[in-house]
Amino acid sequence: MNNGYSLVGIVEVTVTNADGSVESKKVYNKITNYAKKSLAKWLSGSPNTGTGAVLPPTVIAAGNGTPPYGVTGPLATDTALWSEMTGTRKSCDQIMVTQAYYAQYNLAYQMSDPEGYYNELGLFDANGNLWAHVAIDQYKSASQTLTIQWMVYMIADTSNSFAVVTNFMRTAFASWMSGVSNVSGQVGAVPPPTRIQVGTGTGRVSSADTALWNPIPSLERACQTIQVVSSYNVLFALTYASIDPSGTYTEMGWVDGSGNLWFHAGINAVKQAGYIMSIVGQVGIVGN
């Protein structure tokens, strides 16, 4: 079975004038391929903290460039701003999770920061990798401040009534994006899923699901394979041996070591006595 989720970002830009009056607008960003690859790595077990980590975004930069010829706006293939403005690359003032599913990045450019046309913004990690790119078309004078509120969040794909990523997974990704570790054993960490469950329950899967309808405890096992495929998809697989119990299974789940449900799918699998049964699933990342 296969399922995906969309990662979306929206940026609110607020200009504050010297007299205290404000103007604001909201625009949607473009999630880059680098971000999608990184999220797939985190989900498959690559660390987001510590030695050799794939770091989450923590930096915002502004540019005064315009799209190259034939391009109408930011692209998923972007790796840099069109023309970054000197002195605008700064660590976020605040990074946090809001409303459970939103990773929020805040930065305020002060009166002392460069004036001019802020045509674009980029969300970067500490190594300079671009995670999201947005066109804003905003002028900032020396008497104005420019406040950026950048929110990135996951929308579960509900078009597939047989397989869904859960709200727990959406919450976990927001936490990882805000800097929470995915490395088991670290304080406060949210480790990724590593185990498969099967069950005999029936119903319509929902992102609100927190458990299988009727799991078979003796058949919960650690995945034999978890790997990134096609850059943005995470494959997880388990093969039950011929000596494992036979039966008809109508649901499966991908869970972490604490039993939290990340992925729930309806299946129609019959395991006959003396035969093996393989469960293979993929979770794919889609950007807006």
Side-chain angles (χ1 to χ4, degrees):
M1 74 291 297
N2 295 275
N3 190 249
Y5 63 83
S6 296
L7 198 67
V8 177
I10 187 167
V11 181
E12 182 170 4
V13 180
T14 302
V15 175
T16 303
N17 301 309
D19 63 2
S21 60
V22 298
E23 301 174 27
S24 64
K25 59 184 175 183
K26 291 183 179 180
V27 287
Y28 283 95
N29 71 195
K30 177 64 67 173
I31 299 297
T32 67
N33 289 342
Y34 180 84
K36 293 187 290 182
K37 289 177 182 178
S38 298
L39 292 166
K41 289 178 180 178
W42 290 353
L43 186 59
S44 67
S46 294
N48 66 351
T49 57
T51 304
V54 180
L55 299 176
T58 55
V59 173
I60 291 175
N64 56 10
T66 55
Y69 180 77
V71 177
T72 59
L75 301 173
T77 53
D78 291 345
T79 59
L81 298 183
W82 300 312
S83 181
E84 185 172 330
M85 298 167 65
T86 301
T88 65
R89 183 173 289 231
K90 297 178 179 290
S91 295
C92 294
D93 298 325
Q94 186 179 37
I95 300 174
M96 59 186 176
V97 174
T98 62
Q99 303 175 58
Y101 310 125
Y102 296 77
Q104 181 173 318
Y105 308 87
N106 296 334
L107 176 65
Y109 288 109
Q110 305 299 324
M111 294 180 185
S112 56
D113 286 314
E115 62 178 307
Y117 287 97
Y118 285 56
N119 294 335
E120 53 176 333
L121 298 170
L123 183 65
F124 296 86
D125 60 32
N127 291 328
N129 299 299
L130 181 64
W131 285 64
H133 189 191
V134 65
I136 62 169
D137 189 23
Q138 179 65 58
Y139 183 79
K140 176 196 168 310
S141 72
S143 63
Q144 293 173 316
T145 61
L146 187 65
T147 302
I148 310 301
Q149 183 186 83
W150 201 320
M151 301 180 74
V152 179
Y153 57 100
M154 182 194 298
I155 300 176
D157 181 3
T158 57
S159 63
N160 184 346
S161 61
F162 300 102
V164 295
V165 297
T166 67
N167 289 341
F168 182 87
M169 179 171 169
R170 298 171 64 202
T171 301
F173 266 89
S175 297
W176 292 351
M177 288 286 289
S178 68
V180 172
S181 175
N182 70 342
V183 180
S184 180
Q186 293 190 2
V187 176
V190 181
T194 57
R195 304 180 67 80
I196 285 178
Q197 293 178 336
V198 294
T200 58
T202 57
R204 183 181 178 90
V205 294
S206 166
S207 59
D209 292 344
T210 59
L212 268 62
W213 301 304
N214 188 32
I216 308 300
S218 64
L219 292 180
E220 180 182 323
R221 306 284 170 81
C223 295
Q224 294 159 333
T225 301
I226 301 175
Q227 65 184 48
V228 176
V229 295
S230 302
S231 296
Y232 317 126
N233 299 300
V234 179
L235 179 147
F236 52 94
L238 168 66
T239 296
Y240 290 98
S242 58
I243 61 173
D244 283 320
S246 59
T248 299
Y249 303 104
T250 53
E251 57 175 330
M252 65 80 58
W254 194 17
V255 300
D256 59 31
S258 298
N260 298 301
L261 182 65
W262 293 59
F263 178 78
H264 192 190
I267 60 175
N268 182 17
V270 178
K271 184 184 183 304
Q272 298 179 354
Y275 287 80
I276 65 172
M277 180 179 75
S278 295
I279 303 289
V280 180
Q282 286 191 43
V283 175
I285 296 102
V286 179
N288 68 327

Coordinates of all heavy atoms in Angstrom, one line a residue, residues 41-110:
K41 N 14.5 11.2 5.0 CA 15.6 10.6 5.8 C 15.3 10.6 7.3 O 15.6 9.6 7.9 CB 16.9 11.5 5.5 CG 17.5 11.3 4.1 CD 18.7 12.3 4.0 CE 19.3 12.1 2.6 NZ 20.4 13.0 2.4
W42 N 14.7 11.6 7.8 CA 14.3 11.6 9.2 C 13.4 10.5 9.5 O 13.5 9.8 10.5 CB 13.6 12.9 9.6 CG 14.5 14.1 9.6 CD1 15.9 14.2 9.5 CD2 14.1 15.5 9.8 NE1 16.3 15.4 9.6 CE2 15.3 16.3 9.8 CE3 12.9 16.1 10.0 CZ2 15.2 17.7 9.9 CZ3 12.8 17.5 10.2 CH2 14.0 18.2 10.1
L43 N 12.4 10.3 8.7 CA 11.4 9.3 8.9 C 12.0 7.9 8.8 O 11.5 6.9 9.5 CB 10.2 9.4 7.9 CG 9.0 8.5 8.1 CD1 8.4 8.7 9.4 CD2 8.0 8.8 6.9
S44 N 13.0 7.7 8.0 CA 13.6 6.4 7.9 C 14.7 6.1 8.9 O 15.3 5.1 8.9 CB 14.3 6.3 6.5 OG 15.3 7.1 6.3
G45 N 15.0 7.1 9.8 CA 15.9 6.9 10.9 C 17.2 7.7 10.9 O 17.9 7.7 11.9
S46 N 17.4 8.5 9.8 CA 18.6 9.4 9.9 C 18.4 10.5 11.0 O 17.3 11.0 11.1 CB 18.8 10.1 8.5 OG 19.1 9.2 7.5
P47 N 19.5 10.7 11.8 CA 19.3 11.7 12.9 C 19.1 13.1 12.4 O 19.7 13.5 11.4 CB 20.6 11.5 13.6 CG 21.6 11.1 12.6 CD 20.8 10.2 11.7
N48 N 18.3 13.9 13.2 CA 18.2 15.3 12.9 C 18.9 16.1 13.9 O 18.9 17.4 13.9 CB 16.7 15.7 12.8 CG 16.0 15.6 14.1 OD1 16.5 15.0 15.1 ND2 14.8 16.0 14.2
T49 N 19.6 15.4 14.9 CA 20.5 16.1 15.9 C 21.7 15.3 16.1 O 21.7 14.1 15.8 CB 19.7 16.3 17.2 OG1 19.4 15.0 17.7 CG2 18.5 17.2 17.1
G50 N 22.8 15.9 16.6 CA 24.0 15.2 16.9 C 24.9 15.0 15.7 O 24.8 15.6 14.7
T51 N 25.9 14.1 15.9 CA 26.9 13.9 14.8 C 26.3 13.4 13.5 O 25.5 12.4 13.6 CB 28.0 12.9 15.3 OG1 28.5 13.4 16.6 CG2 29.1 12.7 14.3
G52 N 26.6 14.0 12.4 CA 26.1 13.5 11.1 C 24.7 13.8 10.9 O 24.1 13.2 10.0
A53 N 24.1 14.7 11.6 CA 22.7 15.0 11.5 C 22.3 15.7 10.2 O 23.1 16.5 9.7 CB 22.2 15.8 12.7
V54 N 21.1 15.4 9.8 CA 20.4 16.3 8.8 C 19.6 17.3 9.5 O 18.6 17.1 10.1 CB 19.5 15.4 7.9 CG1 18.8 16.3 6.8 CG2 20.2 14.2 7.2
L55 N 20.2 18.5 9.6 CA 19.7 19.6 10.5 C 18.3 20.2 10.0 O 18.1 20.3 8.8 CB 20.7 20.7 10.6 CG 22.1 20.3 11.1 CD1 23.0 21.5 11.1 CD2 21.9 19.8 12.5
P56 N 17.5 20.5 10.9 CA 16.2 21.2 10.6 C 16.5 22.7 10.3 O 17.6 23.2 10.6 CB 15.4 21.1 11.9 CG 16.4 21.0 13.0 CD 17.6 20.3 12.4
P57 N 15.6 23.4 9.6 CA 15.8 24.8 9.3 C 15.7 25.7 10.6 O 15.0 25.4 11.5 CB 14.6 25.1 8.4 CG 13.6 24.1 8.7 CD 14.3 22.9 9.1
T58 N 16.6 26.7 10.6 CA 16.7 27.6 11.7 C 17.0 29.1 11.3 O 17.1 30.0 12.1 CB 17.8 27.2 12.7 OG1 19.0 27.1 12.0 CG2 17.5 25.9 13.4
V59 N 17.1 29.3 10.0 CA 17.6 30.6 9.5 C 16.7 31.1 8.4 O 16.1 30.3 7.6 CB 19.0 30.4 8.9 CG1 19.5 31.7 8.2 CG2 20.0 30.0 10.0
I60 N 16.5 32.4 8.3 CA 15.7 33.1 7.3 C 16.7 34.1 6.6 O 17.4 34.8 7.3 CB 14.5 33.7 7.8 CG1 13.5 32.7 8.3 CG2 13.8 34.7 6.8 CD1 12.2 33.2 8.9
A61 N 16.6 34.2 5.3 CA 17.3 35.2 4.5 C 16.3 35.9 3.6 O 15.4 35.3 3.1 CB 18.5 34.6 3.8
A62 N 16.7 37.1 3.2 CA 15.8 37.9 2.2 C 16.6 38.2 1.0 O 17.9 38.3 1.0 CB 15.3 39.2 2.8
G63 N 15.9 38.3 -0.1 CA 16.6 38.7 -1.4 C 15.8 39.7 -2.1 O 14.6 40.0 -1.9
N64 N 16.5 40.4 -3.1 CA 15.9 41.4 -3.9 C 15.9 41.0 -5.4 O 15.7 41.8 -6.3 CB 16.5 42.8 -3.8 CG 18.0 42.7 -4.0 OD1 18.6 41.7 -4.5 ND2 18.8 43.8 -3.7
G65 N 16.0 39.7 -5.6 CA 16.1 39.1 -7.0 C 14.7 38.9 -7.5 O 13.7 39.0 -6.9
T66 N 14.7 38.5 -8.8 CA 13.4 38.2 -9.5 C 13.7 36.8 -10.2 O 14.8 36.5 -10.4 CB 13.1 39.3 -10.6 OG1 14.2 39.5 -11.4 CG2 12.7 40.6 -9.9
P67 N 12.6 36.1 -10.5 CA 12.8 34.8 -11.2 C 13.5 34.9 -12.5 O 13.4 35.9 -13.2 CB 11.4 34.3 -11.4 CG 10.5 35.1 -10.4 CD 11.2 36.4 -10.3
P68 N 14.3 33.9 -12.8 CA 15.0 33.9 -14.1 C 14.0 33.8 -15.2 O 12.8 33.5 -15.1 CB 15.9 32.6 -14.0 CG 15.2 31.7 -13.0 CD 14.6 32.7 -12.0
Y69 N 14.5 34.1 -16.4 CA 13.6 34.1 -17.6 C 12.8 32.8 -17.8 O 13.4 31.7 -17.7 CB 14.5 34.3 -18.9 CG 13.7 34.3 -20.1 CD1 13.0 35.5 -20.5 CD2 13.6 33.2 -21.0 CE1 12.2 35.5 -21.7 CE2 12.9 33.2 -22.1 CZ 12.2 34.4 -22.5 OH 11.4 34.4 -23.6
G70 N 11.5 33.0 -18.0 CA 10.7 31.8 -18.2 C 10.1 31.2 -16.9 O 9.3 30.2 -17.0
V71 N 10.5 31.7 -15.7 CA 10.1 31.2 -14.5 C 9.2 32.2 -13.8 O 9.5 33.4 -13.8 CB 11.3 30.9 -13.5 CG1 10.8 30.4 -12.2 CG2 12.2 29.8 -14.2
T72 N 8.1 31.8 -13.2 CA 7.1 32.7 -12.7 C 7.2 32.9 -11.2 O 6.5 33.7 -10.6 CB 5.7 32.3 -13.0 OG1 5.4 31.0 -12.6 CG2 5.5 32.3 -14.6
G73 N 7.9 32.0 -10.5 CA 8.1 32.1 -9.1 C 9.0 31.0 -8.5 O 9.7 30.3 -9.3
P74 N 9.1 30.8 -7.2 CA 9.9 29.8 -6.6 C 9.6 28.4 -7.1 O 8.4 28.1 -7.4 CB 9.6 29.9 -5.1 CG 9.2 31.3 -4.9 CD 8.4 31.7 -6.2
L75 N 10.6 27.6 -7.2 CA 10.5 26.2 -7.7 C 11.0 25.2 -6.7 O 11.8 25.5 -5.8 CB 11.3 26.0 -9.0 CG 10.9 26.9 -10.2 CD1 11.9 26.6 -11.3 CD2 9.5 26.6 -10.7
A76 N 10.5 24.0 -6.7 CA 10.9 23.0 -5.8 C 12.4 22.6 -6.0 O 13.1 22.2 -5.1 CB 10.1 21.7 -6.0
T77 N 12.9 22.9 -7.2 CA 14.3 22.6 -7.5 C 15.3 23.7 -7.0 O 16.5 23.6 -7.1 CB 14.5 22.4 -9.0 OG1 14.0 23.6 -9.7 CG2 13.8 21.2 -9.4
D78 N 14.7 24.8 -6.4 CA 15.6 25.9 -6.0 C 16.5 25.5 -4.9 O 16.1 24.7 -4.0 CB 14.7 27.1 -5.5 CG 14.0 27.8 -6.6 OD1 14.3 27.6 -7.8 OD2 13.0 28.6 -6.3
T79 N 17.8 26.0 -4.9 CA 18.7 25.7 -3.9 C 19.3 27.0 -3.2 O 20.1 26.9 -2.3 CB 19.9 24.9 -4.4 OG1 20.5 25.6 -5.5 CG2 19.5 23.5 -5.0
A80 N 18.9 28.1 -3.8 CA 19.3 29.4 -3.3 C 18.3 30.5 -3.7 O 17.4 30.2 -4.5 CB 20.7 29.8 -3.8
L81 N 18.4 31.6 -3.0 CA 17.6 32.8 -3.4 C 18.0 33.3 -4.8 O 19.2 33.0 -5.2 CB 17.7 33.9 -2.4 CG 17.2 33.6 -1.0 CD1 17.2 34.8 -0.1 CD2 15.8 33.0 -1.0
W82 N 17.2 34.0 -5.5 CA 17.6 34.6 -6.8 C 18.7 35.6 -6.6 O 19.6 35.6 -7.4 CB 16.4 35.2 -7.5 CG 15.2 34.2 -7.7 CD1 15.3 33.0 -8.3 CD2 13.9 34.4 -7.4 NE1 14.1 32.4 -8.3 CE2 13.2 33.2 -7.8 CE3 13.1 35.4 -6.8 CZ2 11.8 33.1 -7.6 CZ3 11.8 35.3 -6.6 CH2 11.1 34.1 -7.0
S83 N 18.6 36.4 -5.6 CA 19.7 37.4 -5.3 C 19.6 37.8 -3.8 O 18.8 38.7 -3.5 CB 19.5 38.6 -6.2 OG 20.6 39.5 -5.9
E84 N 20.4 37.1 -3.0 CA 20.3 37.3 -1.6 C 20.9 38.7 -1.2 O 21.9 39.1 -1.8 CB 21.0 36.2 -0.8 CG 20.9 36.4 0.7 CD 21.5 35.1 1.4 OE1 21.4 34.0 0.9 OE2 21.9 35.3 2.6
M85 N 20.2 39.4 -0.3 CA 20.7 40.7 0.2 C 21.7 40.5 1.3 O 21.4 39.8 2.3 CB 19.5 41.6 0.6 CG 18.5 41.8 -0.5 SD 16.9 42.5 0.2 CE 17.5 44.1 0.9
T86 N 22.8 41.2 1.2 CA 23.8 41.2 2.2 C 23.2 41.7 3.6 O 22.5 42.7 3.6 CB 25.0 42.0 1.9 OG1 25.6 41.6 0.6 CG2 26.1 42.0 2.9
G87 N 23.5 40.9 4.6 CA 23.1 41.4 5.9 C 21.7 40.9 6.4 O 21.2 41.3 7.4
T88 N 21.0 40.1 5.5 CA 19.7 39.7 5.9 C 19.6 38.2 6.3 O 18.5 37.8 6.8 CB 18.7 39.8 4.6 OG1 19.1 38.9 3.6 CG2 18.7 41.3 4.2
R89 N 20.7 37.5 6.2 CA 20.6 36.1 6.7 C 20.8 36.0 8.2 O 21.8 36.4 8.7 CB 21.7 35.2 6.0 CG 21.7 33.8 6.4 CD 22.6 32.9 5.6 NE 22.2 32.8 4.2 CZ 22.1 31.7 3.5 NH1 22.4 30.5 4.1 NH2 21.8 31.7 2.2
K90 N 19.7 35.6 8.9 CA 19.7 35.7 10.4 C 19.1 34.4 11.0 O 18.2 33.9 10.4 CB 18.9 36.9 10.8 CG 19.6 38.3 10.4 CD 18.7 39.4 10.9 CE 19.3 40.7 10.5 NZ 20.5 41.0 11.2
S91 N 19.5 34.1 12.1 CA 18.9 33.0 12.9 C 17.5 33.5 13.3 O 17.4 34.6 13.7 CB 19.7 32.6 14.1 OG 21.0 32.0 13.7
C92 N 16.6 32.6 13.3 CA 15.2 32.9 13.7 C 15.2 33.4 15.2 O 15.9 32.9 16.0 CB 14.3 31.8 13.6 SG 14.0 31.2 11.9
D93 N 14.4 34.4 15.5 CA 14.2 34.9 16.8 C 13.5 33.9 17.7 O 13.7 33.8 18.9 CB 13.3 36.2 16.8 CG 14.0 37.3 16.1 OD1 15.3 37.4 16.1 OD2 13.3 38.1 15.4
Q94 N 12.6 33.1 17.1 CA 11.8 32.1 17.8 C 11.4 31.0 16.9 O 11.0 31.2 15.7 CB 10.6 32.7 18.4 CG 9.8 31.8 19.3 CD 8.5 32.6 19.9 OE1 7.9 33.4 19.2 NE2 8.2 32.3 21.1
I95 N 11.5 29.7 17.4 CA 11.1 28.5 16.6 C 10.2 27.7 17.6 O 10.7 27.4 18.7 CB 12.2 27.7 16.1 CG1 13.1 28.5 15.2 CG2 11.7 26.5 15.4 CD1 14.4 27.8 14.7
M96 N 9.0 27.3 17.2 CA 8.1 26.6 18.1 C 7.1 25.8 17.3 O 6.9 26.0 16.1 CB 7.4 27.6 19.0 CG 6.6 28.7 18.3 SD 6.0 29.9 19.4 CE 5.1 31.0 18.3
V97 N 6.4 25.0 18.0 CA 5.2 24.3 17.5 C 4.0 25.0 18.0 O 3.8 25.3 19.1 CB 5.2 22.8 17.9 CG1 3.9 22.1 17.5 CG2 6.4 22.1 17.4
T98 N 3.1 25.3 17.0 CA 1.8 25.9 17.4 C 0.7 25.0 16.8 O 0.8 24.4 15.8 CB 1.7 27.3 16.8 OG1 1.7 27.3 15.4 CG2 2.8 28.2 17.4
Q99 N -0.5 25.0 17.5 CA -1.7 24.3 17.0 C -1.4 22.9 16.7 O -2.0 22.3 15.7 CB -2.3 25.0 15.8 CG -2.7 26.5 16.1 CD -3.2 27.2 14.9 OE1 -4.2 26.8 14.3 NE2 -2.5 28.3 14.5
A100 N -0.5 22.3 17.4 CA -0.1 20.8 17.3 C 0.7 20.5 16.1 O 1.6 19.7 16.1 CB -1.4 20.0 17.4
Y101 N 0.3 21.0 14.9 CA 0.8 20.5 13.6 C 1.7 21.5 12.9 O 2.2 21.2 11.8 CB -0.3 20.1 12.7 CG -1.4 19.2 13.3 CD1 -2.7 19.5 13.3 CD2 -1.0 18.0 13.9 CE1 -3.7 18.7 13.9 CE2 -1.9 17.1 14.5 CZ -3.3 17.5 14.5 OH -4.2 16.7 15.0
Y102 N 1.9 22.7 13.5 CA 2.6 23.8 12.8 C 4.0 24.0 13.4 O 4.1 24.3 14.6 CB 1.8 25.1 12.8 CG 0.4 25.0 12.1 CD1 -0.6 24.4 12.7 CD2 0.2 25.6 10.9 CE1 -1.9 24.3 12.1 CE2 -1.0 25.5 10.2 CZ -2.0 24.9 10.9 OH -3.3 24.8 10.2
A103 N 5.0 23.9 12.5 CA 6.3 24.4 12.9 C 6.4 25.9 12.5 O 6.2 26.2 11.4 CB 7.4 23.6 12.3
Q104 N 6.6 26.8 13.5 CA 6.6 28.2 13.2 C 8.0 28.8 13.5 O 8.6 28.6 14.5 CB 5.6 28.9 14.2 CG 5.4 30.4 14.0 CD 4.3 31.0 14.8 OE1 3.2 30.4 14.8 NE2 4.5 32.1 15.3
Y105 N 8.4 29.7 12.5 CA 9.7 30.3 12.5 C 9.4 31.8 12.5 O 8.8 32.3 11.5 CB 10.5 29.9 11.3 CG 10.6 28.4 11.1 CD1 9.7 27.7 10.4 CD2 11.7 27.7 11.7 CE1 9.8 26.3 10.3 CE2 11.8 26.3 11.6 CZ 10.8 25.6 10.9 OH 10.9 24.3 10.8
N106 N 9.9 32.6 13.5 CA 9.7 34.0 13.5 C 11.0 34.8 13.4 O 12.0 34.4 14.0 CB 9.0 34.4 14.9 CG 7.6 33.8 15.0 OD1 6.9 33.5 14.1 ND2 7.2 33.6 16.3
L107 N 11.0 35.9 12.7 CA 12.1 36.7 12.6 C 11.6 38.1 12.3 O 10.7 38.4 11.5 CB 13.0 36.3 11.4 CG 14.2 37.2 11.1 CD1 15.2 37.2 12.3 CD2 14.9 36.8 9.9
A108 N 12.2 39.1 13.0 CA 11.9 40.5 12.8 C 13.1 41.3 12.3 O 14.2 41.3 12.9 CB 11.4 41.2 14.1
Y109 N 13.0 41.8 11.1 CA 14.0 42.7 10.6 C 13.8 44.1 11.1 O 12.7 44.7 11.0 CB 14.0 42.8 9.0 CG 14.5 41.5 8.4 CD1 13.6 40.6 7.7 CD2 15.8 41.2 8.4 CE1 14.1 39.5 7.1 CE2 16.3 40.0 7.8 CZ 15.4 39.2 7.2 OH 15.9 38.0 6.6
Q110 N 14.8 44.7 11.7 CA 14.7 46.0 12.4 C 14.9 47.1 11.5 O 15.4 47.0 10.3 CB 15.6 46.0 13.6 CG 15.5 44.8 14.6 CD 14.1 44.8 15.2 OE1 13.5 45.8 15.5 NE2 13.7 43.5 15.5

